[in-house]
Amino acid sequence: MSKASEVKNGNILRFNGELLQVEEFLHRTPGNLRAFYQARMRNVKTGKLVEYRFRTDEEVTIARVETNDYQYLYEDGDALVVMDNTTYDQHNVPKALFGNAVRFLKEGTNVIVAFESDEPIMGQIPSSAELEITYTEPAVKGDTSTNALKNATVETGAEIRVPLFINIGDKVKVDTATGAYVERVKG
């Protein structure tokens, strides 16, 4: 147990049986009243925001979270199998931790996973991915207006929108957060 005064932004607390990541932690002393800490925290599992006021001497539990680089090996139902790059241990991590960006994940990619007492709580994939186009309609001449886009399927099976000059076999850079085309990769 730690005192509320020891909490910092970015810490993960076990609070009311939930894991919460501290986004903002401010010390307040209103007029002639007692000082307190105003905390804005995000639930790690659900993503909901929670606001709470801690007394300065209130006991809080700061969770021990270990964050490491892992290599994504393959998909196993609703989980991804990842391997620790140093010990070669394999772990099953729920797909839901990576959010919608999981559709751009290809085998061999390095991901970041945070564990709290051997339970995976957060996952993060690189902000962009270089993927090959496996299917797209050919561009029709004269079909151009400013910034015309067409549908394309990448090697992971995800559908994205790309400019008309992109063909099957081209490698493109995709923003994994939004699924937007960034640029064509020179190869």
Side-chain angles (χ1 to χ4, degrees):
M1 296 292 266
S2 307
K3 292 213 178 318
S5 57
E6 297 169 26
V7 175
K8 307 245 181 308
N9 287 352
N11 280 68
I12 293 180
L13 306 180
R14 187 167 288 284
F15 182 72
N16 292 343
E18 300 278 335
L19 285 175
L20 303 169
Q21 183 169 20
V22 178
E23 288 189 351
E24 193 175 35
F25 202 72
L26 301 169
H27 183 262
R28 295 270 163 89
T29 314
N32 59 355
L33 299 174
R34 283 229 164 129
F36 61 88
Y37 287 97
Q38 179 76 36
R40 196 156 109 231
M41 306 173 286
R42 187 170 300 275
N43 189 314
V44 170
K45 288 204 168 57
T46 63
K48 287 186 180 162
L49 268 176
V50 177
E51 294 221 355
Y52 188 77
R53 287 182 176 179
F54 292 98
R55 295 185 321 274
T56 51
D57 60 343
E58 194 168 337
E59 296 279 317
V60 294
T61 308
I62 299 175
R64 269 192 42 146
V65 176
E66 292 181 22
T67 306
N68 256 332
D69 277 347
Y70 294 87
Q71 185 179 20
Y72 165 58
L73 299 177
Y74 58 91
E75 198 173 316
D76 184 20
D78 286 341
L80 303 177
V81 178
V82 296
M83 177 183 69
D84 189 319
N85 289 333
T86 51
T87 63
Y88 304 110
D89 291 341
Q90 292 185 8
H91 304 278
N92 282 20
V93 179
K95 267 193 211 174
L97 294 184
F98 294 96
N100 208 11
V102 77
R103 60 197 179 121
F104 300 112
L105 197 54
K106 74 178 181 188
E107 285 148 12
T109 307
N110 280 343
V111 295
I112 297 170
V113 182
F115 285 88
E116 194 261 333
S117 62
D118 292 337
E119 182 194 345
I121 57 168
M122 285 191 293
Q124 183 182 348
I125 78 169
S127 60
S128 65
E130 291 182 5
L131 301 166
E132 190 175 322
I133 301 291
T134 56
Y135 177 76
T136 186
E137 296 287 329
V140 179
K141 194 168 184 141
D143 192 18
T144 57
S145 62
T146 40
N147 210 2
L149 299 173
K150 62 182 179 178
N151 287 333
T153 307
V154 293
E155 61 186 292
T156 59
E159 286 227 342
I160 61 169
R161 306 272 293 155
V162 296
L164 296 176
F165 60 82
I166 299 291
N167 298 313
I168 295 173
D170 288 353
K171 277 192 173 274
V172 294
K173 192 174 193 178
V174 179
D175 182 342
T176 56
T178 62
Y181 163 86
V182 178
E183 65 182 357
R184 180 163 52 175
V185 177
K186 312 275 188 286

